[in-house]
Amino acid sequence: MTSALRRRTAALGRRAGALCARAGGLSRGLSLRVKIAVLLAAGCALVAVAIGLLIHQSRAAQIASNARESATSQLIRVRQLYELTGQVDHDGTEAALDHPALPEPLRKSAKDGRRSTYLDLSGPDPAVWAARPVGDRVLSVRRPLNTAVDQLHELDGHLVAWGAVVVGLAALGGAGIASRLSRQLRTAAATARRISLGDLDARIGRTPAGRQDEVAELACAVDTMAASLQSRLEAEQRFTADVAHELRTPLTGLHTAAELLPPSRPTELVRDRVAALRTLTEDLLEVARLDANAEEPHLEVLPLDRTVEKILQRCGLAVELGRSEASRGPDPDGTSGTDRADGTAGTDRANGTRTNGTGRTGRTNGNDGSDETYGTEALVRTDARRLERIVANLIANARRHGAEPVEVTVDGTSVRVRDHGPGFPERLLQDGPRRFVTGAKERGQGTGLGLTIALGQAQVVGARVTLSNAEGGGALAVVSLPGA
């Protein structure tokens, strides 16, 4: 019996090991909630199996002990009657002399002059034997144990059923606890993502009073980090705004004094540096307003094609303006804005912007006073002044750090600005523009505020600026505006 129990235990251990190996491979793709529930259920299952084995072993040992004692008592009674009468009592027993089915180990023990018992619970007909020598013969009794074995199997069935119930309840309880833990961790992760996107007011919130577990410590640490980060950034923003405001007044006086200097080369240098310093100060003030979310856009519906053309005219930027087919509709006479019916290039605007038949335009000195418009133009909802600031900054950045020609293309509700220089540095494409960081040395000089302001103003008007490097070389900035 003991060897059979050991074999069962060993087989159960091998199966448990195989299941653990499979669970280890599957756990990599499971959520924390499922992992905790499975782990808790597996722990309860192991405890239930261990308790079940102990109960089974204890009950089996009790059955064996009672059966051996009962068989020995019956053998003593049968021997006494045999010595008195010379006959074996078969009343209610399977007593016999030299029983043919007597197990060989028991027969050998009796031949050696010992009284012994033999228990067989694994066979199809479980029974207990007791035997002793009588002269040169062997007296034995046999008691069947079918009822006791059936009771043991019934006990095993109850243990399995209740063990399954306990494991199921443990899995449900683990899932509930893990769901709460997972929800709190997801809240912390979502708050951290909001902070990384610029929402410095995001907080996880207070935990229940008296709670001091690891999740509460994590929530407290994240909220403390966010508060510290917010205070530092606000202090930096206030410092930037204060410096810009304090420099504004003396710079105004310096600019006035520079204008009073007599014309000369040194005067031109002084005026140029004063103008650069005033531009930097205005940029710092603008960045401070963007950081403080103090900008209020004046949104209106505008034709993007003509708006960009007017921006280029006001800024006096000698760049090439291109229009895609999506942004250029037919002229009132039924021909496209690129080619007339006679195959010649058509005049797009009265300001001298002339298409060359390829969608690219050049600037001429024509000025006939007409106001020709396109039959269909993409309409966008934006702030014209802020859009001008965005486009002008992107063009200035392309001319300063890139190489000619600089191309501006209107494509539907998007404006594309491309140069033919070395392109954006990889760090800028990965981390975005940073203040006072201009990228690689070969991209020239600058304050590093142009792209920062462009992206900030785009956020104010609900647009999106995408920075990348063009396939043919050069930096490419795409301003995507919301349609009307």
Side-chain angles (χ1 to χ4, degrees):
M1 173 183 172
T2 304
S3 60
L5 182 60
R6 289 178 178 176
R7 288 194 299 270
R8 291 182 182 179
T9 305
L12 183 61
R14 288 192 297 270
R15 292 181 181 178
L19 289 176
C20 290
R22 292 182 181 179
L26 294 175
S27 63
R28 297 184 181 91
L30 299 178
S31 64
L32 179 62
R33 177 177 57 184
V34 177
K35 289 180 181 179
I36 293 178
V38 171
L39 183 62
L40 185 58
C44 290
L46 291 177
V47 173
V49 169
I51 294 176
L53 288 176
L54 291 176
I55 295 176
H56 174 88
Q57 186 177 6
S58 176
R59 179 57 180 164
Q62 183 181 9
I63 292 175
S65 176
N66 293 337
R68 291 179 188 275
E69 291 178 1
S70 176
T72 301
S73 299
Q74 192 173 16
L75 178 63
I76 294 173
R77 184 178 63 82
V78 171
R79 181 186 65 82
Q80 291 174 348
L81 290 176
Y82 177 74
E83 290 178 349
L84 292 174
T85 62
Q87 295 181 355
V88 177
D89 182 15
H90 298 285
D91 186 14
T93 64
E94 295 185 18
L97 290 171
D98 297 331
H99 197 293
L102 186 66
E104 189 61 29
L106 188 60
R107 186 187 300 275
K108 183 178 179 181
S109 176
K111 289 291 186 181
D112 293 338
R114 296 191 301 269
R115 185 183 67 187
S116 57
T117 59
Y118 182 85
L119 186 66
D120 181 16
L121 294 178
S122 59
D125 191 13
V128 60
W129 293 80
R132 63 164 297 155
V134 177
D136 57 350
R137 306 182 69 178
V138 177
L139 177 64
S140 63
V141 296
R142 179 182 180 276
R143 289 181 58 86
L145 298 177
N146 300 83
T147 302
V149 172
D150 291 341
Q151 291 176 353
L152 183 62
H153 291 165
E154 184 179 359
L155 175 63
D156 292 341
H158 287 304
L159 290 175
V160 171
W162 283 107
V165 172
V166 171
V167 171
L169 292 177
L172 291 178
I177 297 174
S179 296
R180 181 178 179 182
L181 176 62
S182 178
R183 183 170 58 253
Q184 293 169 346
L185 292 177
R186 290 179 184 276
T187 301
T191 303
R193 283 192 293 269
R194 288 173 56 191
I195 294 173
S196 66
L197 294 176
D199 185 4
L200 300 181
D201 294 326
R203 297 292 186 273
I204 297 177
R206 295 183 177 180
T207 55
R211 182 176 175 183
Q212 297 296 331
D213 58 5
E214 290 80 1
V215 177
E217 292 181 4
L218 174 63
C220 181
V222 172
D223 287 347
T224 303
M225 178 197 67
S228 176
L229 181 62
Q230 183 179 24
S231 63
R232 292 185 181 184
L233 289 179
E234 289 178 350
E236 179 183 346
Q237 293 169 5
R238 287 194 300 268
F239 174 77
T240 303
D242 293 342
V243 168
H245 278 291
E246 292 298 328
L247 288 176
R248 203 171 190 180
T249 300
L251 278 176
T252 302
L254 184 60
H255 175 73
T256 303
E259 293 296 327
L260 297 177
L261 293 176
S264 64
R265 178 59 181 169
T267 299
E268 294 178 0
L269 295 176
V270 171
R271 291 175 179 175
D272 178 71
R273 292 300 87 196
V274 170
L277 190 56
R278 290 190 66 184
T279 301
L280 175 59
T281 303
E282 295 298 329
D283 287 346
L284 288 175
L285 286 172
E286 187 172 359
V287 169
R289 290 194 299 270
L290 291 172
D291 288 339
N293 295 322
E295 297 286 351
E296 292 293 336
H298 176 65
L299 301 179
E300 55 184 333
V301 178
L302 300 171
L304 182 59
D305 200 5
R306 284 179 289 174
T307 301
V308 173
E309 190 172 339
K310 292 177 181 179
I311 290 174
L312 298 181
Q313 291 177 6
R314 285 194 297 268
C315 295
L317 299 174
V319 298
E320 296 186 5
L321 175 63
R323 301 181 179 90
S324 67
E325 294 298 330
S327 64
R328 183 174 60 247
D331 286 336
D333 59 359
T335 61
S336 69
T338 300
D339 296 318
R340 300 297 184 184
D342 56 2
T344 61
T347 300
D348 289 336
R349 299 287 297 165
N351 58 16
T353 302
R354 181 179 56 83
T355 61
N356 56 17
T358 62
R360 193 73 59 198
T361 68
R363 304 187 65 84
T364 67
N365 295 323
N367 187 8
D368 55 7
S370 62
D371 189 19
E372 181 183 357
T373 62
Y374 300 108
T376 303
E377 289 190 47
L379 300 179
V380 296
R381 182 178 296 275
T382 186
D383 186 325
R385 183 181 65 83
R386 300 182 191 278
L387 178 60
E388 179 176 339
R389 181 68 163 151
I390 297 170
V391 174
N393 276 19
L394 293 177
I395 294 176
N397 183 80
R399 298 183 66 184
R400 178 180 296 113
H401 302 298
E404 299 292 342
V406 176
E407 303 169 355
V408 179
T409 305
V410 177
D411 185 5
T413 59
S414 301
V415 181
R416 303 161 60 92
V417 179
R418 176 189 175 184
D419 62 49
H420 290 75
F424 291 115
E426 289 298 327
R427 178 175 296 181
L428 186 145
L429 295 179
Q430 294 177 0
D431 303 333
R434 299 173 59 187
R435 301 170 189 178
F436 303 106
V437 176
T438 59
K441 296 181 179 179
E442 62 269 15
R443 289 181 60 83
Q445 303 296 323
T447 62
L449 297 178
L451 291 180
T452 301
I453 294 174
L455 269 66
Q457 293 290 2
Q459 185 176 3
V460 172
V461 299
R464 184 179 70 255
V465 177
T466 305
L467 305 178
S468 63
N469 289 327
E471 295 182 359
L476 175 62
V478 180
V479 183
S480 301
L481 299 163

